[in-house]
Amino acid sequence: MSTRTLTALAIGSLLLVAGCSGGGGDDKSGGGAKGAGDAPSNSAGPSSTASQPRYTKFADFPGKDFVTTEPGMPLGLRVKPVDTSWTPELAGKSAEPGKHYVAVYVAVTGELPDRAVEEAEIKYLRLKYKSTEHPCEIGESGYCFAEAYPSSELVDLDDVQQDTGGDWRTYGWSESLLGSTVEQGATKVGVVGFSLSDTEKATSFELCGPTKKVEVDTDEFPCVPVKAPSRT
């Protein structure tokens, strides 16, 4: 074979290798482009927005609770605040002009886990706060105790979560006209409204209630902190 022929074959081999190498680079580039295209696809998956936590029983709710007993009733309720809102209307009742309701949503269960509570209501709860407008006539110096109005019916926890996904504020609350039974070991939820002036700037609130031993003296009611409602 002539030298010229060998040289031609060598050059041809080099060109073939270079062509294969270039094709591999194209494949990698194409693969990279495909990977880049995959990234938006992955990011367009299920929404990362956290859903409302789902509770199955009273103990699941975070925060503190207290035992309160409606005057004249043999058994009390454990009450735990779960949410608050500042709203002009609650359970079909509009606040007076110049006022809003501080709505406090609560989870409740029976005082004793092996006993049902008949005719249970939450209308006797009180909202304790230090007024920025004027001292109150009732209670400790500088503190107010707002009465609950309106108060809602106590409804099953599952019903509210199924209807709203755990967003207590969007449930169709009805005003309580008669008490309801809290079955043995059951958890129910409800809401109470406390009417405050639109100019009231209090930022620290507590939810309180009477006990079997202290039915009238609000200063002696047990209380737990309540998250201050945001105003929009």
PDB file of all heavy atoms in Angstrom, residues 34-70:
ATOM      1  N   LYS A  34     -32.620  18.912  28.110  1.00  0.00           N
ATOM      2  CA  LYS A  34     -33.760  18.139  28.584  1.00  0.00           C
ATOM      3  C   LYS A  34     -33.875  18.220  30.097  1.00  0.00           C
ATOM      4  O   LYS A  34     -34.941  18.362  30.662  1.00  0.00           O
ATOM      5  CB  LYS A  34     -33.603  16.686  28.134  1.00  0.00           C
ATOM      6  CG  LYS A  34     -34.776  15.808  28.517  1.00  0.00           C
ATOM      7  CD  LYS A  34     -34.588  14.405  27.991  1.00  0.00           C
ATOM      8  CE  LYS A  34     -35.773  13.534  28.354  1.00  0.00           C
ATOM      9  NZ  LYS A  34     -35.615  12.154  27.857  1.00  0.00           N
ATOM     10  N   GLY A  35     -32.710  18.167  30.766  1.00  0.00           N
ATOM     11  CA  GLY A  35     -32.720  18.284  32.225  1.00  0.00           C
ATOM     12  C   GLY A  35     -33.254  19.636  32.655  1.00  0.00           C
ATOM     13  O   GLY A  35     -33.995  19.762  33.613  1.00  0.00           O
ATOM     14  N   ALA A  36     -32.831  20.685  31.928  1.00  0.00           N
ATOM     15  CA  ALA A  36     -33.327  22.014  32.257  1.00  0.00           C
ATOM     16  C   ALA A  36     -34.826  22.086  32.060  1.00  0.00           C
ATOM     17  O   ALA A  36     -35.541  22.768  32.783  1.00  0.00           O
ATOM     18  CB  ALA A  36     -32.620  23.057  31.393  1.00  0.00           C
ATOM     19  N   GLY A  37     -35.304  21.366  31.028  1.00  0.00           N
ATOM     20  CA  GLY A  37     -36.739  21.359  30.799  1.00  0.00           C
ATOM     21  C   GLY A  37     -37.480  20.601  31.872  1.00  0.00           C
ATOM     22  O   GLY A  37     -38.630  20.871  32.165  1.00  0.00           O
ATOM     23  N   ASP A  38     -36.811  19.608  32.481  1.00  0.00           N
ATOM     24  CA  ASP A  38     -37.447  18.824  33.534  1.00  0.00           C
ATOM     25  C   ASP A  38     -37.652  19.629  34.801  1.00  0.00           C
ATOM     26  O   ASP A  38     -38.571  19.396  35.562  1.00  0.00           O
ATOM     27  CB  ASP A  38     -36.590  17.594  33.867  1.00  0.00           C
ATOM     28  CG  ASP A  38     -36.702  16.526  32.789  1.00  0.00           C
ATOM     29  OD1 ASP A  38     -37.644  16.613  31.975  1.00  0.00           O
ATOM     30  OD2 ASP A  38     -35.853  15.648  32.776  1.00  0.00           O
ATOM     31  N   ALA A  39     -36.738  20.574  35.056  1.00  0.00           N
ATOM     32  CA  ALA A  39     -36.804  21.317  36.316  1.00  0.00           C
ATOM     33  C   ALA A  39     -38.121  22.057  36.493  1.00  0.00           C
ATOM     34  O   ALA A  39     -38.772  21.926  37.515  1.00  0.00           O
ATOM     35  CB  ALA A  39     -35.622  22.290  36.411  1.00  0.00           C
ATOM     36  N   PRO A  40     -38.580  22.839  35.481  1.00  0.00           N
ATOM     37  CA  PRO A  40     -39.875  23.501  35.641  1.00  0.00           C
ATOM     38  C   PRO A  40     -41.005  22.505  35.825  1.00  0.00           C
ATOM     39  O   PRO A  40     -41.958  22.744  36.532  1.00  0.00           O
ATOM     40  CB  PRO A  40     -40.025  24.287  34.335  1.00  0.00           C
ATOM     41  CG  PRO A  40     -38.636  24.492  33.832  1.00  0.00           C
ATOM     42  CD  PRO A  40     -37.916  23.238  34.232  1.00  0.00           C
ATOM     43  N   SER A  41     -40.887  21.337  35.150  1.00  0.00           N
ATOM     44  CA  SER A  41     -41.928  20.325  35.288  1.00  0.00           C
ATOM     45  C   SER A  41     -42.051  19.861  36.726  1.00  0.00           C
ATOM     46  O   SER A  41     -43.124  19.716  37.277  1.00  0.00           O
ATOM     47  CB  SER A  41     -41.605  19.140  34.364  1.00  0.00           C
ATOM     48  OG  SER A  41     -42.523  18.098  34.570  1.00  0.00           O
ATOM     49  N   ASN A  42     -40.884  19.661  37.364  1.00  0.00           N
ATOM     50  CA  ASN A  42     -40.904  19.246  38.764  1.00  0.00           C
ATOM     51  C   ASN A  42     -41.448  20.344  39.664  1.00  0.00           C
ATOM     52  O   ASN A  42     -42.187  20.095  40.602  1.00  0.00           O
ATOM     53  CB  ASN A  42     -39.482  18.859  39.207  1.00  0.00           C
ATOM     54  CG  ASN A  42     -39.009  17.587  38.519  1.00  0.00           C
ATOM     55  OD1 ASN A  42     -39.826  16.793  38.073  1.00  0.00           O
ATOM     56  ND2 ASN A  42     -37.694  17.413  38.420  1.00  0.00           N
ATOM     57  N   SER A  43     -41.047  21.583  39.370  1.00  0.00           N
ATOM     58  CA  SER A  43     -41.484  22.687  40.225  1.00  0.00           C
ATOM     59  C   SER A  43     -42.972  22.962  40.053  1.00  0.00           C
ATOM     60  O   SER A  43     -43.579  23.626  40.861  1.00  0.00           O
ATOM     61  CB  SER A  43     -40.681  23.953  39.891  1.00  0.00           C
ATOM     62  OG  SER A  43     -40.945  24.363  38.567  1.00  0.00           O
ATOM     63  N   ALA A  44     -43.546  22.448  38.963  1.00  0.00           N
ATOM     64  CA  ALA A  44     -44.966  22.671  38.738  1.00  0.00           C
ATOM     65  C   ALA A  44     -45.810  21.550  39.323  1.00  0.00           C
ATOM     66  O   ALA A  44     -46.949  21.357  38.949  1.00  0.00           O
ATOM     67  CB  ALA A  44     -45.236  22.785  37.240  1.00  0.00           C
ATOM     68  N   GLY A  45     -45.220  20.785  40.227  1.00  0.00           N
ATOM     69  CA  GLY A  45     -45.921  19.680  40.863  1.00  0.00           C
ATOM     70  C   GLY A  45     -46.915  20.180  41.877  1.00  0.00           C
ATOM     71  O   GLY A  45     -47.365  21.323  41.830  1.00  0.00           O
ATOM     72  N   PRO A  46     -47.279  19.371  42.882  1.00  0.00           N
ATOM     73  CA  PRO A  46     -48.253  19.771  43.900  1.00  0.00           C
ATOM     74  C   PRO A  46     -47.849  21.048  44.604  1.00  0.00           C
ATOM     75  O   PRO A  46     -46.671  21.293  44.844  1.00  0.00           O
ATOM     76  CB  PRO A  46     -48.252  18.570  44.868  1.00  0.00           C
ATOM     77  CG  PRO A  46     -47.791  17.416  44.030  1.00  0.00           C
ATOM     78  CD  PRO A  46     -46.812  18.002  43.059  1.00  0.00           C
ATOM     79  N   SER A  47     -48.808  21.867  44.932  1.00  0.00           N
ATOM     80  CA  SER A  47     -48.539  23.142  45.605  1.00  0.00           C
ATOM     81  C   SER A  47     -47.846  22.920  46.926  1.00  0.00           C
ATOM     82  O   SER A  47     -48.139  21.980  47.658  1.00  0.00           O
ATOM     83  CB  SER A  47     -49.864  23.885  45.843  1.00  0.00           C
ATOM     84  OG  SER A  47     -49.650  25.029  46.631  1.00  0.00           O
ATOM     85  N   SER A  48     -46.890  23.786  47.222  1.00  0.00           N
ATOM     86  CA  SER A  48     -46.160  23.678  48.478  1.00  0.00           C
ATOM     87  C   SER A  48     -46.866  24.403  49.612  1.00  0.00           C
ATOM     88  O   SER A  48     -46.377  24.432  50.732  1.00  0.00           O
ATOM     89  CB  SER A  48     -44.741  24.249  48.305  1.00  0.00           C
ATOM     90  OG  SER A  48     -44.803  25.609  47.935  1.00  0.00           O
ATOM     91  N   THR A  49     -47.997  25.044  49.289  1.00  0.00           N
ATOM     92  CA  THR A  49     -48.740  25.755  50.328  1.00  0.00           C
ATOM     93  C   THR A  49     -49.220  24.775  51.397  1.00  0.00           C
ATOM     94  O   THR A  49     -49.889  23.801  51.102  1.00  0.00           O
ATOM     95  CB  THR A  49     -49.954  26.477  49.726  1.00  0.00           C
ATOM     96  OG1 THR A  49     -49.502  27.379  48.718  1.00  0.00           O
ATOM     97  CG2 THR A  49     -50.707  27.248  50.809  1.00  0.00           C
ATOM     98  N   ALA A  50     -48.849  25.038  52.624  1.00  0.00           N
ATOM     99  CA  ALA A  50     -49.209  24.128  53.716  1.00  0.00           C
ATOM    100  C   ALA A  50     -50.703  24.214  53.988  1.00  0.00           C
ATOM    101  O   ALA A  50     -51.273  25.290  54.087  1.00  0.00           O
ATOM    102  CB  ALA A  50     -48.424  24.486  54.970  1.00  0.00           C
ATOM    103  N   SER A  51     -51.351  23.073  54.073  1.00  0.00           N
ATOM    104  CA  SER A  51     -52.773  23.046  54.389  1.00  0.00           C
ATOM    105  C   SER A  51     -52.969  23.198  55.885  1.00  0.00           C
ATOM    106  O   SER A  51     -52.032  23.052  56.672  1.00  0.00           O
ATOM    107  CB  SER A  51     -53.390  21.724  53.913  1.00  0.00           C
ATOM    108  OG  SER A  51     -52.754  20.629  54.549  1.00  0.00           O
ATOM    109  N   GLN A  52     -54.190  23.493  56.267  1.00  0.00           N
ATOM    110  CA  GLN A  52     -54.493  23.635  57.679  1.00  0.00           C
ATOM    111  C   GLN A  52     -54.252  22.303  58.396  1.00  0.00           C
ATOM    112  O   GLN A  52     -54.576  21.250  57.854  1.00  0.00           O
ATOM    113  CB  GLN A  52     -55.957  24.049  57.867  1.00  0.00           C
ATOM    114  CG  GLN A  52     -56.296  25.422  57.319  1.00  0.00           C
ATOM    115  CD  GLN A  52     -55.765  26.542  58.181  1.00  0.00           C
ATOM    116  OE1 GLN A  52     -55.374  26.333  59.314  1.00  0.00           O
ATOM    117  NE2 GLN A  52     -55.726  27.744  57.633  1.00  0.00           N
ATOM    118  N   PRO A  53     -53.647  22.329  59.572  1.00  0.00           N
ATOM    119  CA  PRO A  53     -53.442  21.075  60.293  1.00  0.00           C
ATOM    120  C   PRO A  53     -54.768  20.422  60.650  1.00  0.00           C
ATOM    121  O   PRO A  53     -55.743  21.107  60.926  1.00  0.00           O
ATOM    122  CB  PRO A  53     -52.684  21.515  61.557  1.00  0.00           C
ATOM    123  CG  PRO A  53     -52.999  22.963  61.719  1.00  0.00           C
ATOM    124  CD  PRO A  53     -53.167  23.498  60.326  1.00  0.00           C
ATOM    125  N   ARG A  54     -54.821  19.108  60.615  1.00  0.00           N
ATOM    126  CA  ARG A  54     -56.051  18.387  60.917  1.00  0.00           C
ATOM    127  C   ARG A  54     -55.952  17.823  62.327  1.00  0.00           C
ATOM    128  O   ARG A  54     -54.993  17.129  62.664  1.00  0.00           O
ATOM    129  CB  ARG A  54     -56.286  17.263  59.910  1.00  0.00           C
ATOM    130  CG  ARG A  54     -57.628  16.574  60.132  1.00  0.00           C
ATOM    131  CD  ARG A  54     -57.995  15.657  58.983  1.00  0.00           C
ATOM    132  NE  ARG A  54     -59.307  15.058  59.196  1.00  0.00           N
ATOM    133  CZ  ARG A  54     -60.458  15.638  58.912  1.00  0.00           C
ATOM    134  NH1 ARG A  54     -60.450  16.843  58.393  1.00  0.00           N
ATOM    135  NH2 ARG A  54     -61.613  15.038  59.132  1.00  0.00           N
ATOM    136  N   TYR A  55     -56.952  18.126  63.137  1.00  0.00           N
ATOM    137  CA  TYR A  55     -56.995  17.660  64.514  1.00  0.00           C
ATOM    138  C   TYR A  55     -58.066  16.584  64.658  1.00  0.00           C
ATOM    139  O   TYR A  55     -59.092  16.629  63.988  1.00  0.00           O
ATOM    140  CB  TYR A  55     -57.303  18.825  65.463  1.00  0.00           C
ATOM    141  CG  TYR A  55     -56.330  19.981  65.327  1.00  0.00           C
ATOM    142  CD1 TYR A  55     -56.702  21.159  64.668  1.00  0.00           C
ATOM    143  CD2 TYR A  55     -55.045  19.894  65.841  1.00  0.00           C
ATOM    144  CE1 TYR A  55     -55.816  22.211  64.546  1.00  0.00           C
ATOM    145  CE2 TYR A  55     -54.149  20.946  65.728  1.00  0.00           C
ATOM    146  CZ  TYR A  55     -54.540  22.101  65.076  1.00  0.00           C
ATOM    147  OH  TYR A  55     -53.655  23.143  64.944  1.00  0.00           O
ATOM    148  N   THR A  56     -57.817  15.632  65.522  1.00  0.00           N
ATOM    149  CA  THR A  56     -58.800  14.570  65.728  1.00  0.00           C
ATOM    150  C   THR A  56     -59.363  14.557  67.145  1.00  0.00           C
ATOM    151  O   THR A  56     -60.408  13.977  67.381  1.00  0.00           O
ATOM    152  CB  THR A  56     -58.171  13.192  65.448  1.00  0.00           C
ATOM    153  OG1 THR A  56     -57.043  12.996  66.333  1.00  0.00           O
ATOM    154  CG2 THR A  56     -57.691  13.113  64.000  1.00  0.00           C
ATOM    155  N   LYS A  57     -58.668  15.203  68.059  1.00  0.00           N
ATOM    156  CA  LYS A  57     -59.152  15.242  69.442  1.00  0.00           C
ATOM    157  C   LYS A  57     -58.631  16.490  70.146  1.00  0.00           C
ATOM    158  O   LYS A  57     -57.731  17.178  69.658  1.00  0.00           O
ATOM    159  CB  LYS A  57     -58.738  13.982  70.198  1.00  0.00           C
ATOM    160  CG  LYS A  57     -57.260  13.684  70.200  1.00  0.00           C
ATOM    161  CD  LYS A  57     -56.975  12.347  70.875  1.00  0.00           C
ATOM    162  CE  LYS A  57     -55.487  12.039  70.936  1.00  0.00           C
ATOM    163  NZ  LYS A  57     -54.880  11.926  69.594  1.00  0.00           N
ATOM    164  N   PHE A  58     -59.194  16.754  71.315  1.00  0.00           N
ATOM    165  CA  PHE A  58     -58.893  17.965  72.068  1.00  0.00           C
ATOM    166  C   PHE A  58     -57.391  18.123  72.318  1.00  0.00           C
ATOM    167  O   PHE A  58     -56.847  19.222  72.172  1.00  0.00           O
ATOM    168  CB  PHE A  58     -59.655  17.919  73.393  1.00  0.00           C
ATOM    169  CG  PHE A  58     -59.522  19.151  74.238  1.00  0.00           C
ATOM    170  CD1 PHE A  58     -60.313  20.261  73.987  1.00  0.00           C
ATOM    171  CD2 PHE A  58     -58.629  19.194  75.294  1.00  0.00           C
ATOM    172  CE1 PHE A  58     -60.204  21.417  74.774  1.00  0.00           C
ATOM    173  CE2 PHE A  58     -58.521  20.330  76.094  1.00  0.00           C
ATOM    174  CZ  PHE A  58     -59.308  21.443  75.822  1.00  0.00           C
ATOM    175  N   ALA A  59     -56.724  17.028  72.682  1.00  0.00           N
ATOM    176  CA  ALA A  59     -55.306  17.099  73.031  1.00  0.00           C
ATOM    177  C   ALA A  59     -54.420  17.481  71.853  1.00  0.00           C
ATOM    178  O   ALA A  59     -53.282  17.928  72.047  1.00  0.00           O
ATOM    179  CB  ALA A  59     -54.846  15.765  73.623  1.00  0.00           C
ATOM    180  N   ASP A  60     -54.906  17.328  70.621  1.00  0.00           N
ATOM    181  CA  ASP A  60     -54.106  17.669  69.446  1.00  0.00           C
ATOM    182  C   ASP A  60     -53.879  19.169  69.309  1.00  0.00           C
ATOM    183  O   ASP A  60     -52.879  19.602  68.745  1.00  0.00           O
ATOM    184  CB  ASP A  60     -54.791  17.173  68.162  1.00  0.00           C
ATOM    185  CG  ASP A  60     -54.782  15.667  68.045  1.00  0.00           C
ATOM    186  OD1 ASP A  60     -53.971  15.027  68.741  1.00  0.00           O
ATOM    187  OD2 ASP A  60     -55.598  15.129  67.276  1.00  0.00           O
ATOM    188  N   PHE A  61     -54.819  19.959  69.789  1.00  0.00           N
ATOM    189  CA  PHE A  61     -54.702  21.408  69.643  1.00  0.00           C
ATOM    190  C   PHE A  61     -53.574  21.950  70.517  1.00  0.00           C
ATOM    191  O   PHE A  61     -53.471  21.597  71.695  1.00  0.00           O
ATOM    192  CB  PHE A  61     -56.007  22.090  70.048  1.00  0.00           C
ATOM    193  CG  PHE A  61     -57.148  21.857  69.110  1.00  0.00           C
ATOM    194  CD1 PHE A  61     -58.039  20.813  69.305  1.00  0.00           C
ATOM    195  CD2 PHE A  61     -57.340  22.687  68.011  1.00  0.00           C
ATOM    196  CE1 PHE A  61     -59.098  20.600  68.436  1.00  0.00           C
ATOM    197  CE2 PHE A  61     -58.402  22.482  67.140  1.00  0.00           C
ATOM    198  CZ  PHE A  61     -59.278  21.433  67.354  1.00  0.00           C
ATOM    199  N   PRO A  62     -52.726  22.811  69.962  1.00  0.00           N
ATOM    200  CA  PRO A  62     -51.667  23.408  70.776  1.00  0.00           C
ATOM    201  C   PRO A  62     -52.227  24.461  71.730  1.00  0.00           C
ATOM    202  O   PRO A  62     -53.330  24.979  71.518  1.00  0.00           O
ATOM    203  CB  PRO A  62     -50.756  24.053  69.728  1.00  0.00           C
ATOM    204  CG  PRO A  62     -51.677  24.375  68.585  1.00  0.00           C
ATOM    205  CD  PRO A  62     -52.691  23.267  68.556  1.00  0.00           C
ATOM    206  N   GLY A  63     -51.476  24.769  72.759  1.00  0.00           N
ATOM    207  CA  GLY A  63     -51.878  25.822  73.688  1.00  0.00           C
ATOM    208  C   GLY A  63     -52.426  25.298  75.005  1.00  0.00           C
ATOM    209  O   GLY A  63     -52.555  24.096  75.219  1.00  0.00           O
ATOM    210  N   LYS A  64     -52.769  26.248  75.858  1.00  0.00           N
ATOM    211  CA  LYS A  64     -53.250  25.932  77.202  1.00  0.00           C
ATOM    212  C   LYS A  64     -54.773  25.884  77.246  1.00  0.00           C
ATOM    213  O   LYS A  64     -55.445  26.534  76.453  1.00  0.00           O
ATOM    214  CB  LYS A  64     -52.743  26.979  78.199  1.00  0.00           C
ATOM    215  CG  LYS A  64     -51.222  27.045  78.319  1.00  0.00           C
ATOM    216  CD  LYS A  64     -50.808  28.110  79.321  1.00  0.00           C
ATOM    217  CE  LYS A  64     -49.294  28.164  79.472  1.00  0.00           C
ATOM    218  NZ  LYS A  64     -48.879  29.215  80.458  1.00  0.00           N
ATOM    219  N   ASP A  65     -55.287  25.125  78.186  1.00  0.00           N
ATOM    220  CA  ASP A  65     -56.730  25.075  78.401  1.00  0.00           C
ATOM    221  C   ASP A  65     -57.038  25.309  79.873  1.00  0.00           C
ATOM    222  O   ASP A  65     -56.132  25.315  80.708  1.00  0.00           O
ATOM    223  CB  ASP A  65     -57.301  23.732  77.933  1.00  0.00           C
ATOM    224  CG  ASP A  65     -56.843  22.575  78.798  1.00  0.00           C
ATOM    225  OD1 ASP A  65     -55.778  21.982  78.504  1.00  0.00           O
ATOM    226  OD2 ASP A  65     -57.534  22.249  79.786  1.00  0.00           O
ATOM    227  N   PHE A  66     -58.303  25.493  80.185  1.00  0.00           N
ATOM    228  CA  PHE A  66     -58.721  25.621  81.575  1.00  0.00           C
ATOM    229  C   PHE A  66     -60.088  24.978  81.733  1.00  0.00           C
ATOM    230  O   PHE A  66     -60.821  24.789  80.761  1.00  0.00           O
ATOM    231  CB  PHE A  66     -58.755  27.092  82.023  1.00  0.00           C
ATOM    232  CG  PHE A  66     -59.762  27.942  81.299  1.00  0.00           C
ATOM    233  CD1 PHE A  66     -60.999  28.242  81.878  1.00  0.00           C
ATOM    234  CD2 PHE A  66     -59.484  28.475  80.046  1.00  0.00           C
ATOM    235  CE1 PHE A  66     -61.925  29.031  81.221  1.00  0.00           C
ATOM    236  CE2 PHE A  66     -60.406  29.265  79.386  1.00  0.00           C
ATOM    237  CZ  PHE A  66     -61.629  29.547  79.971  1.00  0.00           C
ATOM    238  N   VAL A  67     -60.406  24.606  82.951  1.00  0.00           N
ATOM    239  CA  VAL A  67     -61.698  23.996  83.252  1.00  0.00           C
ATOM    240  C   VAL A  67     -62.641  25.073  83.746  1.00  0.00           C
ATOM    241  O   VAL A  67     -62.317  25.840  84.665  1.00  0.00           O
ATOM    242  CB  VAL A  67     -61.568  22.883  84.302  1.00  0.00           C
ATOM    243  CG1 VAL A  67     -62.952  22.336  84.673  1.00  0.00           C
ATOM    244  CG2 VAL A  67     -60.687  21.757  83.781  1.00  0.00           C
ATOM    245  N   THR A  68     -63.797  25.168  83.123  1.00  0.00           N
ATOM    246  CA  THR A  68     -64.793  26.159  83.516  1.00  0.00           C
ATOM    247  C   THR A  68     -66.160  25.494  83.594  1.00  0.00           C
ATOM    248  O   THR A  68     -66.443  24.546  82.851  1.00  0.00           O
ATOM    249  CB  THR A  68     -64.812  27.341  82.520  1.00  0.00           C
ATOM    250  OG1 THR A  68     -65.788  28.301  82.930  1.00  0.00           O
ATOM    251  CG2 THR A  68     -65.134  26.873  81.122  1.00  0.00           C
ATOM    252  N   THR A  69     -66.981  25.971  84.515  1.00  0.00           N
ATOM    253  CA  THR A  69     -68.300  25.378  84.739  1.00  0.00           C
ATOM    254  C   THR A  69     -69.361  26.455  84.688  1.00  0.00           C
ATOM    255  O   THR A  69     -69.275  27.464  85.401  1.00  0.00           O
ATOM    256  CB  THR A  69     -68.359  24.672  86.099  1.00  0.00           C
ATOM    257  OG1 THR A  69     -67.276  23.749  86.203  1.00  0.00           O
ATOM    258  CG2 THR A  69     -69.677  23.928  86.271  1.00  0.00           C
ATOM    259  N   GLU A  70     -70.346  26.255  83.851  1.00  0.00           N
ATOM    260  CA  GLU A  70     -71.456  27.195  83.795  1.00  0.00           C
ATOM    261  C   GLU A  70     -72.173  27.188  85.142  1.00  0.00           C
ATOM    262  O   GLU A  70     -72.417  26.116  85.707  1.00  0.00           O
ATOM    263  CB  GLU A  70     -72.416  26.795  82.680  1.00  0.00           C
ATOM    264  CG  GLU A  70     -73.571  27.772  82.499  1.00  0.00           C
ATOM    265  CD  GLU A  70     -74.504  27.338  81.387  1.00  0.00           C
ATOM    266  OE1 GLU A  70     -74.270  26.272  80.796  1.00  0.00           O
ATOM    267  OE2 GLU A  70     -75.471  28.070  81.133  1.00  0.00           O
TER     268      GLU A  70
END
